[in-house]
Amino acid sequence: MIIKPTYEKSYLIRFSRGKDVQTTEVVDATAEDVRVLICNALKGHFAHPQAKVAATKIVVLEVDHVRKKSSISKFIYQNKERVIEKDFALVFNLSPRQVRIEIEKAIRQC
């Protein structure tokens, strides 16, 4: 028998569009590592956060197992004039399942 290891923090990455919801859990990482991983794996597929297109929404939930708290990690969009912080990122031309597969593939390569 083996006892399941526990980590101080884990990150739930939730991909959703309509009723289709996919989830991946990442441990032994930081919030910045998760955001960089998502940005590098899906380069060229991001939509503006206020765009009116059919897109998959990505939300990163940080779960602290010691303090029993959770919070949403913010994504930062930069324009020439201003910086926008959103709770989500939008990815077009990929279904939630395809996005989850791409993220898990990128995690395995790290």
Side-chain angles (χ1 to χ4, degrees), residues 8 12 16 19 24-26 30 35 40 47 54 57 70 82 86 89 107:
E8 284 186 32
L12 290 174
S16 63
K19 293 182 181 181
T24 299
E25 185 174 8
V26 178
T30 64
R35 284 193 301 266
N40 289 339
K57 183 188 280 190
S70 63
R82 56 184 205 193
K86 290 287 188 177
I107 290 170

PDB file of all heavy atoms in Angstrom, residues 8 12 16 19 24-26 30 35 40 47 54 57 70 82 86 89 107:
ATOM      1  N   GLU A   8       0.806  21.329  -0.366  1.00  0.00           N
ATOM      2  CA  GLU A   8       0.226  22.530   0.228  1.00  0.00           C
ATOM      3  C   GLU A   8      -0.785  23.168  -0.706  1.00  0.00           C
ATOM      4  O   GLU A   8      -1.844  23.588  -0.274  1.00  0.00           O
ATOM      5  CB  GLU A   8       1.320  23.548   0.553  1.00  0.00           C
ATOM      6  CG  GLU A   8       2.131  23.214   1.765  1.00  0.00           C
ATOM      7  CD  GLU A   8       3.084  24.339   2.102  1.00  0.00           C
ATOM      8  OE1 GLU A   8       2.753  25.518   1.847  1.00  0.00           O
ATOM      9  OE2 GLU A   8       4.157  24.032   2.630  1.00  0.00           O
ATOM     10  N   LEU A  12      -6.461  23.782  -9.988  1.00  0.00           N
ATOM     11  CA  LEU A  12      -7.471  23.170 -10.835  1.00  0.00           C
ATOM     12  C   LEU A  12      -7.622  24.046 -12.063  1.00  0.00           C
ATOM     13  O   LEU A  12      -7.950  25.232 -11.950  1.00  0.00           O
ATOM     14  CB  LEU A  12      -8.813  23.070 -10.109  1.00  0.00           C
ATOM     15  CG  LEU A  12      -8.892  22.067  -8.977  1.00  0.00           C
ATOM     16  CD1 LEU A  12     -10.228  22.195  -8.274  1.00  0.00           C
ATOM     17  CD2 LEU A  12      -8.727  20.666  -9.509  1.00  0.00           C
ATOM     18  N   SER A  16     -14.146  25.249 -20.111  1.00  0.00           N
ATOM     19  CA  SER A  16     -15.595  25.115 -20.291  1.00  0.00           C
ATOM     20  C   SER A  16     -16.080  25.905 -21.498  1.00  0.00           C
ATOM     21  O   SER A  16     -15.531  26.946 -21.844  1.00  0.00           O
ATOM     22  CB  SER A  16     -16.332  25.594 -19.038  1.00  0.00           C
ATOM     23  OG  SER A  16     -16.091  26.966 -18.822  1.00  0.00           O
ATOM     24  N   LYS A  19     -22.186  23.470 -21.910  1.00  0.00           N
ATOM     25  CA  LYS A  19     -22.325  22.425 -20.895  1.00  0.00           C
ATOM     26  C   LYS A  19     -21.105  21.518 -20.796  1.00  0.00           C
ATOM     27  O   LYS A  19     -21.021  20.683 -19.902  1.00  0.00           O
ATOM     28  CB  LYS A  19     -23.564  21.572 -21.194  1.00  0.00           C
ATOM     29  CG  LYS A  19     -24.849  22.318 -21.028  1.00  0.00           C
ATOM     30  CD  LYS A  19     -26.027  21.409 -21.282  1.00  0.00           C
ATOM     31  CE  LYS A  19     -27.319  22.175 -21.140  1.00  0.00           C
ATOM     32  NZ  LYS A  19     -28.482  21.293 -21.372  1.00  0.00           N
ATOM     33  N   THR A  24      -8.388  19.682 -15.133  1.00  0.00           N
ATOM     34  CA  THR A  24      -7.072  19.095 -14.908  1.00  0.00           C
ATOM     35  C   THR A  24      -6.535  19.643 -13.601  1.00  0.00           C
ATOM     36  O   THR A  24      -6.659  20.841 -13.330  1.00  0.00           O
ATOM     37  CB  THR A  24      -6.095  19.452 -16.049  1.00  0.00           C
ATOM     38  OG1 THR A  24      -6.606  18.940 -17.266  1.00  0.00           O
ATOM     39  CG2 THR A  24      -4.718  18.882 -15.801  1.00  0.00           C
ATOM     40  N   GLU A  25      -5.936  18.788 -12.781  1.00  0.00           N
ATOM     41  CA  GLU A  25      -5.356  19.233 -11.519  1.00  0.00           C
ATOM     42  C   GLU A  25      -3.837  19.171 -11.623  1.00  0.00           C
ATOM     43  O   GLU A  25      -3.275  18.163 -12.051  1.00  0.00           O
ATOM     44  CB  GLU A  25      -5.828  18.363 -10.358  1.00  0.00           C
ATOM     45  CG  GLU A  25      -5.350  18.862  -9.015  1.00  0.00           C
ATOM     46  CD  GLU A  25      -5.940  18.098  -7.851  1.00  0.00           C
ATOM     47  OE1 GLU A  25      -6.613  17.076  -8.076  1.00  0.00           O
ATOM     48  OE2 GLU A  25      -5.720  18.526  -6.716  1.00  0.00           O
ATOM     49  N   VAL A  26      -3.177  20.255 -11.215  1.00  0.00           N
ATOM     50  CA  VAL A  26      -1.718  20.359 -11.266  1.00  0.00           C
ATOM     51  C   VAL A  26      -1.205  20.577  -9.851  1.00  0.00           C
ATOM     52  O   VAL A  26      -1.730  21.414  -9.112  1.00  0.00           O
ATOM     53  CB  VAL A  26      -1.286  21.539 -12.166  1.00  0.00           C
ATOM     54  CG1 VAL A  26       0.212  21.685 -12.187  1.00  0.00           C
ATOM     55  CG2 VAL A  26      -1.829  21.366 -13.562  1.00  0.00           C
ATOM     56  N   THR A  30       3.729  26.662  -9.252  1.00  0.00           N
ATOM     57  CA  THR A  30       3.255  27.963  -8.779  1.00  0.00           C
ATOM     58  C   THR A  30       2.214  28.484  -9.766  1.00  0.00           C
ATOM     59  O   THR A  30       2.075  27.960 -10.866  1.00  0.00           O
ATOM     60  CB  THR A  30       4.414  28.977  -8.683  1.00  0.00           C
ATOM     61  OG1 THR A  30       4.932  29.207  -9.998  1.00  0.00           O
ATOM     62  CG2 THR A  30       5.519  28.480  -7.764  1.00  0.00           C
ATOM     63  N   ARG A  35       0.233  29.628 -15.446  1.00  0.00           N
ATOM     64  CA  ARG A  35      -0.139  30.607 -16.470  1.00  0.00           C
ATOM     65  C   ARG A  35       0.818  30.564 -17.656  1.00  0.00           C
ATOM     66  O   ARG A  35       0.395  30.619 -18.813  1.00  0.00           O
ATOM     67  CB  ARG A  35      -0.196  32.004 -15.868  1.00  0.00           C
ATOM     68  CG  ARG A  35      -1.426  32.250 -15.032  1.00  0.00           C
ATOM     69  CD  ARG A  35      -1.596  33.713 -14.734  1.00  0.00           C
ATOM     70  NE  ARG A  35      -0.462  34.263 -14.020  1.00  0.00           N
ATOM     71  CZ  ARG A  35      -0.384  34.379 -12.692  1.00  0.00           C
ATOM     72  NH1 ARG A  35      -1.379  33.985 -11.942  1.00  0.00           N
ATOM     73  NH2 ARG A  35       0.677  34.895 -12.127  1.00  0.00           N
ATOM     74  N   ASN A  40       2.084  29.220 -23.288  1.00  0.00           N
ATOM     75  CA  ASN A  40       2.991  28.607 -24.251  1.00  0.00           C
ATOM     76  C   ASN A  40       2.328  27.470 -25.023  1.00  0.00           C
ATOM     77  O   ASN A  40       2.601  27.283 -26.210  1.00  0.00           O
ATOM     78  CB  ASN A  40       4.249  28.104 -23.552  1.00  0.00           C
ATOM     79  CG  ASN A  40       5.140  29.232 -23.095  1.00  0.00           C
ATOM     80  OD1 ASN A  40       5.067  30.343 -23.599  1.00  0.00           O
ATOM     81  ND2 ASN A  40       5.975  28.954 -22.116  1.00  0.00           N
ATOM     82  N   ALA A  47      -8.233  34.639 -27.570  1.00  0.00           N
ATOM     83  CA  ALA A  47      -9.149  35.680 -28.031  1.00  0.00           C
ATOM     84  C   ALA A  47      -9.158  36.803 -26.998  1.00  0.00           C
ATOM     85  O   ALA A  47      -8.834  36.589 -25.830  1.00  0.00           O
ATOM     86  CB  ALA A  47     -10.556  35.118 -28.201  1.00  0.00           C
ATOM     87  N   ALA A  54     -17.415  32.319 -30.141  1.00  0.00           N
ATOM     88  CA  ALA A  54     -17.553  31.058 -29.423  1.00  0.00           C
ATOM     89  C   ALA A  54     -16.152  30.607 -29.020  1.00  0.00           C
ATOM     90  O   ALA A  54     -15.322  30.306 -29.869  1.00  0.00           O
ATOM     91  CB  ALA A  54     -18.213  30.017 -30.299  1.00  0.00           C
ATOM     92  N   LYS A  57     -13.488  28.833 -22.296  1.00  0.00           N
ATOM     93  CA  LYS A  57     -13.047  29.644 -21.169  1.00  0.00           C
ATOM     94  C   LYS A  57     -12.141  28.800 -20.271  1.00  0.00           C
ATOM     95  O   LYS A  57     -12.478  27.675 -19.920  1.00  0.00           O
ATOM     96  CB  LYS A  57     -14.242  30.121 -20.367  1.00  0.00           C
ATOM     97  CG  LYS A  57     -13.874  31.030 -19.208  1.00  0.00           C
ATOM     98  CD  LYS A  57     -15.069  31.330 -18.330  1.00  0.00           C
ATOM     99  CE  LYS A  57     -15.911  32.404 -18.935  1.00  0.00           C
ATOM    100  NZ  LYS A  57     -16.944  32.889 -18.002  1.00  0.00           N
ATOM    101  N   SER A  70      -9.563  28.791  -1.284  1.00  0.00           N
ATOM    102  CA  SER A  70      -9.334  28.731  -2.725  1.00  0.00           C
ATOM    103  C   SER A  70      -9.497  30.127  -3.302  1.00  0.00           C
ATOM    104  O   SER A  70     -10.258  30.941  -2.779  1.00  0.00           O
ATOM    105  CB  SER A  70     -10.300  27.755  -3.400  1.00  0.00           C
ATOM    106  OG  SER A  70     -11.615  28.196  -3.229  1.00  0.00           O
ATOM    107  N   ARG A  82      -3.426  50.097 -21.915  1.00  0.00           N
ATOM    108  CA  ARG A  82      -3.878  49.664 -20.599  1.00  0.00           C
ATOM    109  C   ARG A  82      -3.642  48.171 -20.364  1.00  0.00           C
ATOM    110  O   ARG A  82      -3.383  47.412 -21.288  1.00  0.00           O
ATOM    111  CB  ARG A  82      -5.345  49.987 -20.412  1.00  0.00           C
ATOM    112  CG  ARG A  82      -6.224  49.413 -21.457  1.00  0.00           C
ATOM    113  CD  ARG A  82      -7.642  49.827 -21.282  1.00  0.00           C
ATOM    114  NE  ARG A  82      -8.456  48.786 -21.920  1.00  0.00           N
ATOM    115  CZ  ARG A  82      -9.708  48.889 -22.196  1.00  0.00           C
ATOM    116  NH1 ARG A  82     -10.342  49.980 -21.898  1.00  0.00           N
ATOM    117  NH2 ARG A  82     -10.358  47.905 -22.742  1.00  0.00           N
ATOM    118  N   LYS A  86      -8.194  39.651 -15.802  1.00  0.00           N
ATOM    119  CA  LYS A  86      -9.438  38.881 -15.871  1.00  0.00           C
ATOM    120  C   LYS A  86      -9.269  37.563 -15.131  1.00  0.00           C
ATOM    121  O   LYS A  86      -8.158  37.048 -14.996  1.00  0.00           O
ATOM    122  CB  LYS A  86      -9.828  38.591 -17.333  1.00  0.00           C
ATOM    123  CG  LYS A  86     -10.270  39.791 -18.103  1.00  0.00           C
ATOM    124  CD  LYS A  86     -11.645  40.207 -17.654  1.00  0.00           C
ATOM    125  CE  LYS A  86     -12.181  41.290 -18.558  1.00  0.00           C
ATOM    126  NZ  LYS A  86     -13.514  41.682 -18.220  1.00  0.00           N
ATOM    127  N   ALA A  89      -9.291  33.143 -19.302  1.00  0.00           N
ATOM    128  CA  ALA A  89      -8.697  33.356 -20.623  1.00  0.00           C
ATOM    129  C   ALA A  89      -9.617  32.690 -21.637  1.00  0.00           C
ATOM    130  O   ALA A  89     -10.250  31.676 -21.333  1.00  0.00           O
ATOM    131  CB  ALA A  89      -7.301  32.746 -20.695  1.00  0.00           C
ATOM    132  N   ILE A 107       2.232  19.526 -20.053  1.00  0.00           N
ATOM    133  CA  ILE A 107       2.668  19.185 -18.687  1.00  0.00           C
ATOM    134  C   ILE A 107       3.591  17.972 -18.725  1.00  0.00           C
ATOM    135  O   ILE A 107       4.621  17.937 -18.039  1.00  0.00           O
ATOM    136  CB  ILE A 107       1.457  18.918 -17.776  1.00  0.00           C
ATOM    137  CG1 ILE A 107       0.706  20.223 -17.515  1.00  0.00           C
ATOM    138  CG2 ILE A 107       1.882  18.285 -16.456  1.00  0.00           C
ATOM    139  CD1 ILE A 107      -0.628  20.044 -16.826  1.00  0.00           C
TER     140      ILE A 107
END
